[in-house]
């Protein structure tokens, strides 16, 4: 395991490569468990970029949620539908615009923001469609990434960010501070903020510069201002 | 070929197996055109048993030239039903658990009221005096049948192509009576290209001197050549170039070289001629005119102020939309119009595109990925409604062989 890993992103990308194996709640990704804990039972949830459907499956089974998914990979979508989930093939950048205001209680975007073409637009759509949005992403301000860039002089290639700069789907990497600044600019209220360390353990964001240095991932509960 | 083919239309209908319900006797069926139709006979087949609570009914809507014989031997052709891969014990539409209903559409020619039946006012076949019907009217006839059977709510309604149009119409018009809607290889409206192909077919029928202005029942001579040409044109639109190429390529039929004439030199020509010829034995030319017209007129958004999403506002229906990569008659872009509208209504929708080179007809063929996704979707629907589920049984190889030729 590379010291530069974001456990959440690594798990997500490994899941995508392996295709769909939905349903195993026992070992649910740390960030997905934290997201699930934020969601009220019996609410309406749209999971954008739902990957292998692990979160949706958990929410439907354990929290009686009315769940919908949007996923780029058709193969993944077909497999999720055959598992009984409601999922459509679609692209966060172009398809969120179709959904009406306040159609869902929560719109989840986990480990996907950095792969969108227009993160600002996507973020604004999330808080428009949902009463709340839950967003998680890898923190590019993590100290080991900074060190790699500082001493290696190259864009970090790690197990969790395995593609080189010219072939990676992660085109809009940011730090926690960058993200919070964008939220302010978009008049988005941060209701809760959590950071994950490299063991996948969560802490509330207190000292921001410190969090920005030591967190591998950020996880935020947001709403429209 | 069965004896039925040599009898008159009325005699044939009387001899058909399955059920017939005479409906709209007291209150006529008011059609979209404003005409009233009374009575309306609906011929239908059922598979499986209706449970005591009447919660396990699935309505199967057939395509243009399909009929009610979805999963049993066809009384005219003697071949397996058009959806015998999908309907039956252990299949996607499992007759061990579900009560499956398939009705011949209004305007059809296999027992449901249509232009070949007798006009009660004249005692003669309707011919072109039969009122023009629409997808809405077809669904209304099906609704009358469900009322007659005492079924308030369908577990699901499913169909491909024109059947998919009926599914969309059902979900839009009667959302409270539809648990799940499964439109396959279909579109929210018939496109200009689709209408154009249908017009070629209709013109072929009407250009046949034996058509006689639709009154061919008087002379007993049918527009066989025109109907065969219509069928040949349509048939090509149901396939894909890869499928045609795989099957025939440019291979010659029973000869070593070109004939330098207009016989069927190529296997694909001979195949199409056979498809055309066998079709005229089981289908009525006027029915073909009426049903293609009904498809051309279909435009779901038009009934909702031009806004498709308005057809699905607050819809409680679970949707599963499916398209096929090689379907150029009802391409994925058309299915996505429906999906976008459903998203815009925040409806519960799943959408799958199945990778297949078999063209439009793929929804009738052995597509394991389609069967797996539909089985998963329907199992979830059964679980929500307290109906037992079972794993999908593997498809028998001999059945696949039989269905290679399947065209609606």
């Amino acid at each position: 395991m590379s010291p530069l890993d974001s456990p959440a992103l690594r798990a997500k990308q490994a899941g995508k490569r392996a295709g769909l194996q939905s349903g195993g709640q026992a070992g649910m990704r740390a960030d997905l468990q934290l997201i699930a804990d934020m969601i009220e039972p019996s609410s309406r949830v749209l999971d954008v970029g739902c990957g292998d459907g692990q979160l949706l499956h958990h929410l439907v089974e354990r929290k009686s949620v009315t769940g919908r998914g949007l996923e780029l990979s058709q193969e993944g979508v077909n497999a999720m539908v055959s598992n009984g989930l409601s999922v459509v093939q679609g692209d966060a950048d172009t398809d969120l615009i179709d959904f009406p205001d306040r159609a869902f209680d929560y719109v989840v975007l986990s480990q996907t923001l950095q792969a969108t073409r227009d993160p600002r637009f996507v973020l604004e759509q999330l808080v428009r469609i949902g009463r709340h949005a839950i967003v998680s992403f890898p923190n590019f301000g993590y100290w080991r990434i900074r060190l790699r860039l500082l001493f290696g002089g190259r864009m970090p290639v790690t197990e969790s960010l395995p593609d080189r700069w010219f072939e990676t789907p992660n085109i809009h990497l940011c730090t926690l501070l960058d993200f919070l600044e964008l939220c302010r600019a978009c008049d988005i209220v941060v209701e809760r903020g959590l950071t994950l360390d490299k063991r996948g353990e969560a802490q509330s964001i207190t000292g921001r510069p410190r969090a920005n240095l030591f967190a591998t991932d950020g996880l935020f509960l947001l709403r429209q201002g | 070929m069965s004896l039925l083919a040599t009898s008159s239309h009325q005699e044939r209908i009387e001899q058909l197996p399955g059920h017939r319900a005479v409906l709209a006797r007291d209150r006529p069926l008011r059609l979209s055109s404003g005409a009233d139709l009374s009575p309306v006979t609906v011929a239908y087949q059922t598979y499986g048993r209706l449970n005591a609570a009447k919660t396990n009914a699935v309505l199967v809507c057939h395509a243009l030239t399909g009929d009610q014989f979805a999963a049993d031997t066809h009384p005219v052709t003697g071949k397996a039903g058009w959806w015998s891969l999908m309907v039956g014990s252990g299949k996607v539409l499992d007759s061990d658990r579900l009560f499956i209903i398939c009705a011949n559409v209004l305007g059809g020619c296999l027992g449901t009221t249509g232009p070949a039946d007798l006009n009660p006012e004249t005692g003669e076949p309707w011919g072109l005096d039969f009122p023009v019907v629409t997808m809405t009217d077809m669904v209304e006839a099906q609704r009358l049948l469900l009322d007659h059977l005492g079924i308030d709510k369908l577990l699901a309604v499913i169909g491909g192509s024109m059947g998919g149009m009926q599914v969309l119409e059902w979900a839009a018009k009667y959302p409270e009576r539809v648990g799940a809607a499964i439109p396959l290889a279909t579109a929210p409206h018939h496109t200009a290209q689709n209408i154009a192909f249908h017009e070629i077919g209709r013109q072929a029928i009407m250009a046949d001197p034996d058509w006689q202005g639709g009154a061919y029942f008087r002379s007993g001579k049918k527009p066989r050549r025109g109907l065969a040409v219509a069928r040949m044109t349509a048939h090509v639109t149901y396939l894909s170039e890869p499928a045609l190429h795989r099957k025939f390529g440019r291979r010659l039929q029973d000869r070593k070289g070109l004939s330098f004439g207009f016989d069927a030199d190529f296997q694909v020509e001979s195949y199409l001629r056979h498809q055309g010829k066998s079709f005229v034995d089981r289908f009525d030319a006027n029915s073909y005119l009426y049903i293609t017209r009904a498809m051309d007129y279909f435009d779901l958004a038009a009934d909702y102020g031009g806004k498709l999403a308005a057809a699905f506002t607050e819809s409680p229906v679970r949707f599963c939309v499916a398209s096929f990569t090689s379907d150029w008659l009802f391409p994925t872009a058309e299915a996505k119009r429906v999906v976008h509208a459903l998203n815009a209504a925040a409806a519960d929708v799943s959408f799958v595109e199945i990778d297949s080179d078999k063209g439009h007809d793929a929804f009738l063929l052995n597509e394991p990925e389609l069967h797996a996704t539909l089985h998963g979707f329907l199992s979830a629907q059964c679980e929500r409604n307290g109906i037992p589920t079972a794993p999908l049984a593997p498809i028998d190889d001999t059945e696949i062989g039989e269905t290679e030729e399947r065209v609606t």
Side-chain angles (χ1 to χ4, degrees):
Chain A
M1 178 171 157
S2 155
L4 297 181
D5 276 348
S6 141
L9 184 61
R10 185 180 67 247
K12 172 151 185 149
Q13 294 186 340
K16 279 198 166 164
R17 278 193 294 275
L20 181 103
Q21 280 303 322
S22 184
Q25 276 94 44
M28 193 156 79
R29 248 166 55 197
D31 67 320
L32 294 186
Q33 189 59 58
L34 292 169
I35 292 171
D37 292 344
M38 284 184 181
I39 290 174
E40 296 282 324
S42 304
S43 50
R44 294 166 300 156
V45 178
L46 174 67
D47 188 357
V48 181
C50 53
D52 62 6
Q54 199 185 22
L55 175 68
L56 269 183
H57 195 274
H58 174 87
L59 291 172
V60 170
E61 293 280 306
R62 303 286 178 87
K63 291 199 134 180
S64 308
V65 148
T66 304
R68 312 278 163 71
L70 185 73
E71 170 58 38
L72 205 50
S73 133
Q74 186 68 62
E75 199 185 332
V77 170
N78 294 8
M80 278 182 269
V81 176
S82 65
N83 274 356
L85 297 172
S86 297
V87 186
V88 299
Q89 192 275 333
D91 184 339
D93 276 303
T94 53
D95 294 352
L96 290 177
I97 194 90
D98 292 335
F99 291 89
D101 296 357
R102 301 283 173 269
F104 296 92
D105 296 315
Y106 299 89
V107 182
V108 176
L109 188 77
S110 85
Q111 303 295 331
T112 300
L113 186 69
Q114 73 282 355
T116 61
R117 279 195 299 282
D118 190 345
R120 178 178 185 146
F121 174 79
V122 169
L123 212 49
E124 286 169 342
Q125 293 300 313
L126 298 179
V127 293
R128 177 186 67 78
I129 297 166
R131 288 198 300 114
H132 307 273
I134 301 176
V135 177
S136 75
F137 58 89
N139 171 28
F140 218 66
Y142 180 48
W143 68 276
R144 287 176 189 269
I145 289 183
R146 296 192 202 191
L147 284 186
R148 172 65 66 96
L149 199 55
L150 181 64
F151 292 113
R154 297 196 173 157
M155 288 298 281
V157 174
T158 70
E159 206 180 322
S160 66
L161 296 168
D163 305 305
R164 285 171 293 175
W165 64 273
F166 54 88
E167 59 191 3
T168 178
N170 301 318
I171 52 177
H172 282 122
L173 291 154
C174 68
T175 70
L176 298 185
L177 291 178
D178 290 329
F179 179 78
L180 291 168
E181 190 179 287
L182 179 60
C183 288
R184 263 196 310 279
C186 299
D187 195 22
I188 290 169
V189 177
V190 177
E191 296 180 280
R192 273 185 81 188
L194 293 176
T195 60
L196 280 87
D197 62 21
K198 75 181 165 74
R199 291 184 304 270
E201 284 175 16
Q203 283 181 350
S204 274
I205 289 186
T206 42
R208 277 179 181 176
R210 193 183 144 77
N212 199 34
L213 191 58
F214 290 107
T216 59
D217 295 87
L219 199 164
F220 297 89
L221 179 68
L222 312 168
R223 67 173 165 80
Q224 209 165 37
Chain B
M1 178 143 328
S2 140
L3 281 174
L4 289 171
T6 56
S7 332
S8 79
H9 177 74
Q10 291 305 320
E11 286 165 1
R12 275 170 68 165
I13 296 305
E14 300 298 328
Q15 293 171 49
L16 285 178
H19 314 279
R20 296 175 76 203
V22 183
L23 310 165
R25 265 192 290 219
D26 304 331
R27 198 157 151 239
L29 176 62
R30 172 66 54 91
L31 303 175
S32 305
S33 66
D36 283 335
L37 207 53
S38 174
V40 174
T41 303
V42 176
Y44 65 101
Q45 283 292 79
T46 64
Y47 310 91
R49 295 166 72 96
L50 186 61
N51 63 16
K54 299 190 174 186
T55 53
N56 67 335
V58 174
L59 180 68
V60 171
C61 300
H62 70 71
L64 169 55
T65 67
D67 50 50
Q68 65 272 38
F69 299 103
D72 43 355
T73 306
H74 196 281
V76 179
T77 65
K79 289 185 178 166
W82 57 272
W83 231 10
S84 44
L85 287 177
M86 197 76 98
V87 178
S89 174
K91 297 185 179 172
V92 172
L93 297 175
D94 188 352
S95 53
D96 296 339
R97 274 154 261 282
L98 304 173
F99 178 63
I100 298 140
I101 309 160
C102 184
N104 193 219
V105 294
L106 191 66
C109 54
L110 229 57
T112 295
T113 302
D117 295 307
L118 299 182
N119 177 349
E121 280 182 20
T122 63
E124 268 210 327
W126 282 96
L128 289 200
D129 290 335
F130 191 72
V132 166
V133 296
T134 62
M135 223 44 67
T136 307
D137 302 331
M138 290 179 180
V139 165
E140 283 302 305
Q142 292 164 354
R143 182 188 59 80
L144 291 177
L145 175 65
L146 290 194
D147 290 348
H148 169 77
L149 297 173
I151 296 167
D152 292 332
K153 185 169 181 179
L154 292 162
L155 181 76
V157 52
I158 182 170
S161 195
M162 181 179 89
M165 292 176 170
Q166 293 160 51
V167 170
L168 293 174
E169 177 76 22
W170 260 106
K173 196 64 69 62
Y174 296 107
E176 73 288 353
R177 296 190 70 166
V178 175
I182 309 172
L184 310 172
T186 194
H189 60 231
H190 217 218
T191 64
Q193 188 186 42
N194 295 351
I195 296 170
F197 278 115
H198 275 175
E199 178 61 4
I200 294 169
R202 284 191 295 264
Q203 287 299 327
I205 291 167
M206 295 190 282
D208 187 327
D210 290 341
W211 181 60
Q212 304 161 75
Y216 45 84
F217 43 86
R218 294 210 177 99
S219 70
K221 280 171 94 181
K222 292 182 188 174
R224 302 179 71 88
R225 288 162 298 172
L227 183 57
V229 171
R231 177 59 170 178
M232 288 162 74
T233 320
H235 193 127
V236 175
T237 70
Y238 302 150
L239 306 174
S240 66
E241 166 56 18
L244 272 178
H245 181 78
R246 189 176 55 236
K247 212 167 193 174
F248 307 109
R250 289 181 51 84
R251 286 191 297 278
L252 302 180
Q253 177 77 35
D254 302 330
R255 65 192 71 206
K256 293 240 160 31
L258 301 175
S259 71
F260 294 97
F262 297 100
D263 287 345
D265 281 3
F266 295 101
Q267 284 181 8
V268 65
E269 295 174 315
S270 156
Y271 167 76
L272 277 183
R273 288 181 189 197
H274 167 75
Q275 287 293 340
K277 259 189 207 146
S278 55
F279 182 60
V280 300
D281 293 324
R282 71 171 180 90
F283 216 81
D284 173 59
N286 284 338
S287 263
Y288 196 87
L289 300 180
Y290 278 89
I291 298 175
T292 56
R293 205 69 186 136
M295 286 180 81
D296 292 350
Y297 279 2
F298 183 65
D299 182 358
L300 188 56
D303 294 343
Y304 295 87
K307 201 167 173 231
L308 189 57
F312 307 116
T313 309
E314 306 275 313
S315 180
V317 180
R318 292 181 69 223
F319 288 85
C320 182
V321 180
S323 68
F324 299 90
T325 50
S326 56
D327 183 351
W328 55 276
L329 194 62
F330 288 87
T332 291
E334 294 297 321
K336 283 210 140 186
R337 283 181 206 278
V338 176
V339 175
H340 285 155
L342 289 166
N343 281 344
D348 186 341
V349 55
S350 291
F351 167 60
V352 295
E353 184 186 33
I354 305 294
D355 196 353
S356 164
D357 71 352
K358 293 174 187 150
H360 180 59
D361 264 350
F363 77 92
L364 299 170
L365 301 172
N366 183 35
E367 288 290 356
E369 195 175 1
L370 174 73
H371 290 193
T373 48
L374 293 186
H375 178 259
F377 177 81
L378 274 166
S379 296
Q381 183 62 9
C382 285
E383 276 168 23
R384 285 166 185 230
N385 290 275
I387 291 159
T389 59
L392 200 54
I395 284 182
D396 182 355
D397 285 349
T398 56
E399 280 186 89
I400 300 170
E402 265 184 44
T403 54
E404 269 294 295
E405 290 289 312
R406 177 148 302 157
V407 175
T408 43

